Amino acid sequence: MRERRVHSRILDRYVLGDERVVVAIRHHWGRMIEPVLTTLAGLLAASWLSANAPPEASVLPLVAWWLWFAVVLRLLWKALEWRNEWFVATDKRLLMTYGLITHKVAMMPLRKVTDMNYARSPLGRVLGYGQFIMESAGQDQAMREINWVPEPDDTYRRICDTIFGPEGRDPEDDPFGEGAPETGTSAYNRWERTDDQAEPAHQQVDEQEEGPAWEVSHEDAAFYAPVGQWEDPDITGPIPRPKRN
């Protein structure tokens, strides 16, 4: 996977030099649909009141235009927030920057992510955005929900590949790391003992191929014979009878 460069002064403050940026995205432009539509609706309403207001209600159009100006300010505020909010995934952690006046940064290490749910609403499938819900090992995190994710399919694959590796296996679950054998033998069977006299398993396999180290004794096995053919196990002979005088 190729490394993505980040062209943002805000992100350069928090991404470490030895981190590899996997995903660096802003929220989807669909987040701005509601503020834009609200501003257009306010413009139409203010224009209609200015053209159709009665002479005795001359203050009403002025109030409508002031309200529309407040809606325009809200649109600008939303646009600045959208521009300064970033979601970043590196090979070590997840970052999310938000806030315009008070800038905040939420962070979660990748090893803490236990599950990541991926959802797309009908509107999200049409416009091309999705939602991620993070489950972590511990208390609730500030990054539990990540909404308005652009290119969600590609972003989901990149994050999962970073967390679980190309083979879909979490490296934290393998105590031997990348040096684990690729054969069918489990890595836990490479050493039979943990002391200093431990021998590799392949030497023990060679010893077993030479022959069994012990055999089952059948000396105490029960002897079977057909009915009526049992021999008297008494080895002392007949009991002597007393002599008559």
Side-chain angles (χ1 to χ4, degrees):
M1 181 182 299
R2 64 185 181 88
E3 182 177 352
R4 289 191 171 185
R5 298 183 60 185
V6 182
H7 303 280
S8 173
R9 292 180 300 174
I10 296 178
L11 295 180
D12 292 340
R13 300 175 185 173
Y14 307 110
V15 177
L16 303 179
D18 58 345
E19 286 185 304
R20 178 174 58 87
V21 177
V22 178
V23 173
I25 54 176
R26 291 190 178 98
H27 286 160
H28 190 268
W29 57 265
R31 183 180 178 181
M32 300 300 300
I33 293 179
E34 182 272 327
V36 171
L37 292 179
T38 302
T39 304
L40 292 177
L43 177 61
L44 294 176
S47 300
W48 185 86
L49 286 176
S50 298
N52 298 280
E56 61 274 8
S58 59
V59 181
L60 187 60
L62 182 61
V63 174
W65 283 111
W66 277 107
L67 291 177
W68 179 77
F69 181 71
V71 174
V72 172
L73 292 179
R74 176 178 177 268
L75 174 62
L76 295 176
W77 182 273
K78 293 289 185 180
L80 291 176
E81 281 187 337
W82 173 80
R83 183 174 177 81
N84 286 277
E85 290 182 351
W86 283 85
F87 172 66
V88 182
T90 69
D91 57 345
K92 296 181 180 180
R93 54 181 176 160
L94 302 176
L95 292 169
M96 186 169 63
T97 65
Y98 60 97
L100 191 58
I101 297 178
T102 302
H103 196 69
K104 300 179 181 179
V105 179
M107 188 273 292
M108 180 188 297
L110 285 182
R111 64 178 181 273
K112 294 293 185 180
V113 179
T114 59
D115 191 13
M116 185 174 68
N117 298 325
Y118 170 34
R120 296 186 70 177
S121 62
L123 183 61
R125 290 195 295 268
V126 173
L127 298 180
Y129 68 86
Q131 179 192 42
F132 294 162
I133 300 178
M134 305 289 183
E135 299 294 339
S136 62
Q139 301 178 353
D140 294 338
Q141 302 288 335
M143 295 182 59
R144 187 177 185 274
E145 293 186 5
I146 303 174
N147 300 310
W148 304 100
V149 179
E151 301 180 357
D153 294 336
D154 182 67
T155 303
Y156 181 78
R157 288 192 299 267
R158 286 177 177 271
I159 296 177
C160 288
D161 181 72
T162 305
I163 295 176
F164 303 108
E167 299 179 356
R169 175 179 54 83
D170 189 353
E172 297 292 337
D173 295 339
D174 189 358
F176 294 99
E178 299 179 354
E182 299 179 357
T183 59
T185 306
S186 174
Y188 293 96
N189 296 329
R190 292 192 299 173
W191 299 95
E192 295 294 330
R193 296 192 303 269
T194 58
D195 53 3
D196 296 334
Q197 299 179 354
E199 299 178 359
H202 65 87
Q203 295 183 6
Q204 299 179 2
V205 172
D206 296 338
E207 294 177 0
Q208 293 179 2
E209 292 179 354
E210 296 177 358
W214 51 270
E215 296 180 357
V216 179
S217 176
H218 300 280
E219 295 180 357
D220 298 334
F223 177 78
Y224 171 79
V227 179
Q229 298 184 10
W230 289 94
E231 296 181 358
D232 188 2
D234 189 3
I235 62 175
T236 59
I239 300 176
R241 298 181 179 180
K243 296 180 179 180
R244 295 181 179 180
N245 296 328

